[in-house]
Amino acid sequence: MDLPAPLAWLVDDAGAVSAPDRFLAELGGRLLADGLPLAGGALTLAVPHPIVARRTWLWRAATGAVIEALGFAGMPLPADSPQAGRDWLAGLGPVLEHQAGPAVLGWAATRPLDPAEAGLLHQAARFAAAPLAALASRAALATLLEAYLGRRSAARVQAGALRRGAGETIRAALLCADLRDFTALSEATPPAEVIATLDAWFDRIAGAVHAFGGEVLKFMGDGLLAIFPVTGPQREACDAALRAIAAARAGMAHLDAARQARGLPPLPFGAALHLGEMMWGNIGAADRLDFTAIGPAVNLVSRLEGLCRPLGRAVLVSGALAAETTAPLVPLGEHPLRGIAAPCAVFTLPDA
C-alpha cells in the first residue's frame, strides 16, 4: 500500500522515538513537509502522578520548538482534558483535535483545511495510536519511577542499572534534615493529622531542594537526605544547598505562623550540610533493591545533623562545605562526631 510519507513514518519508524516531545516534532515536521498548512501542534497524555494529572507538549511549526505544559491534579479540568493544548492552538489558527489511542493530538492550521487535508490529519491520528500507546506506557513508567525514586535514580533504573551492587561514586553537597520532637507530637495527634503535618514539612524542604537543582534521595521517617551533585565548580553545588536551606526555613516560618493561628505548635527542625564523596547505587536483598547512598560523607552529615540540638542551632555546616562558599558563616569550633574518626570543624548561619 502506497502511504503518504507521514503515515509511512508512523508505521515504520515512529515506534523508535524515545520521548513525546520528539514524537510531536517529528510528526508535525513531516506533515508540514507533506504540504499541510500547520501553525502548531499539541500532544496530551494523562500520567499516573500524585501531583501532575496530564502533560501536554506544544510544537510551533515556525521554529520547530517544543515546550511542555503541566496539568495538575485537583484543577477543575478533568484529568485527561487537552484544554491546555486547545487553548494554545486556538491562538495560532483553526484547531482540529483527534483521539490517538491514549493521547489527544491537536493541530492548528494557518487557514481552514480542505477535506483531503483534514482527512490526512484524521488518518495520522489513527496510525499514531499504536506508537503513542507504547510511548505513553514508557512515559507512565518514567513518571512513576521519578515520583518514588527521584529523577536521577529513576534515570539510572531505566538505563538498566538493575544489578545488585552496581553503583557509582559521585561528589556532592549533602543535606540532611530532621523534624524536632516529632515522636512526641505524633503520639498526641490523630494519624491523619500526622500524615498531613509530614506532607506539609516535606513540601517545604523537598520543594526547596528541587527548586535549587538538588534531589531528595531518601525520606526517613520525619527526615530526609538530599544531594546537590557537583557538575561544575564545587562552590555552585555548595551555594545551591545553602540557598535551599534558606528557602526551606522561610517556608517553614510561614507554615509555623499558619499553625500558630490554628492553635498548633510550631515544627522546629535541624539541618546539616556537608561536601564529600558517596557511593550511590543498587543496594539490598536479592529480591528487594533500593537506590541509596552510603559512605563516610553520608555518615558525617547524618552525625552533624544530630549535633544541632546539643549546640542549639537550626543549621550546621561542615568545614568541608564552608571552605567552598563565600556565604557568611559563624565558626563553632571543632566537635567530635560519633563514629567519625577526626573531629569536624563546624559552622552555622548567622541567624540560625
Side-chain angles (χ1 to χ4, degrees):
M1 181 170 59
D2 188 17
L3 291 174
L7 302 188
W9 176 78
L10 286 169
V11 171
D12 296 331
D13 301 313
V17 177
S18 60
D21 57 340
R22 293 307 315 149
F23 182 95
L24 179 63
E26 287 274 356
L27 179 56
R30 290 170 190 277
L31 291 168
L32 198 64
D34 206 50
L36 268 71
L38 298 182
L43 170 62
T44 297
L45 289 173
V47 293
H49 191 276
I51 299 174
V52 179
R54 62 198 169 275
R55 299 172 69 183
T56 298
W57 292 268
L58 308 170
W59 166 75
R60 188 180 288 274
T63 62
V66 179
I67 61 173
E68 184 179 354
L70 299 178
F72 295 97
M75 292 176 65
L77 294 173
D80 59 351
S81 169
Q83 188 72 39
R86 185 184 303 138
D87 289 347
W88 184 80
L89 291 172
L92 301 179
V95 177
L96 281 83
E97 283 186 336
H98 302 91
Q99 191 73 36
V104 174
L105 269 174
W107 305 100
T110 58
R111 58 166 173 77
L113 299 178
D114 62 38
E117 293 167 335
L120 178 56
L121 286 182
H122 178 68
Q123 286 293 92
R126 291 181 60 196
F127 279 70
L132 279 175
L135 197 60
S137 179
R138 294 197 297 269
L141 176 60
T143 300
L144 280 173
L145 287 173
E146 288 182 12
Y148 283 93
L149 299 179
R151 179 164 296 182
R152 186 183 179 94
S153 299
R156 289 277 294 167
V157 170
Q158 285 193 287
L162 304 175
R163 182 173 56 84
R164 182 168 61 161
E168 63 176 322
T169 298
I170 63 172
R171 190 163 183 82
L174 294 87
L175 185 159
C176 183
D178 188 67
L179 281 180
R180 293 281 170 262
D181 302 320
F182 192 73
T183 300
L185 180 65
S186 63
E187 290 178 351
T189 306
E193 190 173 327
V194 171
I195 292 174
T197 300
L198 281 175
D199 286 345
W201 149 244
F202 284 134
D203 275 344
R204 276 125 184 109
I205 183 71
V209 167
H210 295 150
F212 290 97
E215 179 171 345
V216 174
L217 290 187
K218 282 288 177 196
F219 291 109
M220 304 167 292
D222 58 350
L224 63 75
L225 174 67
I227 59 169
F228 298 79
V230 173
T231 57
Q234 294 189 140
R235 181 191 71 256
E236 294 178 358
C238 297
D239 288 345
L242 286 165
R243 287 194 292 270
I245 279 294
R249 294 180 69 205
M252 289 302 290
H254 185 271
L255 176 63
D256 283 344
R259 287 177 59 84
Q260 184 177 11
R262 296 165 51 205
L264 298 174
L267 298 173
F269 71 96
L273 301 175
H274 178 51
L275 174 69
E277 290 187 345
M278 63 181 194
M279 201 287 256
W280 173 78
N282 254 326
I283 299 169
D287 60 349
R288 175 61 174 89
L289 298 174
D290 191 12
F291 251 82
T292 191
I294 61 171
V298 178
N299 296 337
L300 191 147
V301 76
S302 175
R303 301 304 189 203
L304 185 60
E305 190 279 324
L307 203 60
C308 288
R309 187 194 295 271
L311 294 183
R313 303 288 179 165
V315 181
L316 295 179
V317 179
S318 74
L321 192 143
E324 296 293 335
T325 181
T326 57
L329 297 173
V330 178
L332 298 178
E334 291 192 344
H335 294 267
L337 300 176
R338 184 167 59 87
I340 306 297
C344 178
V346 179
F347 296 78
T348 190
L349 301 176
D351 62 343

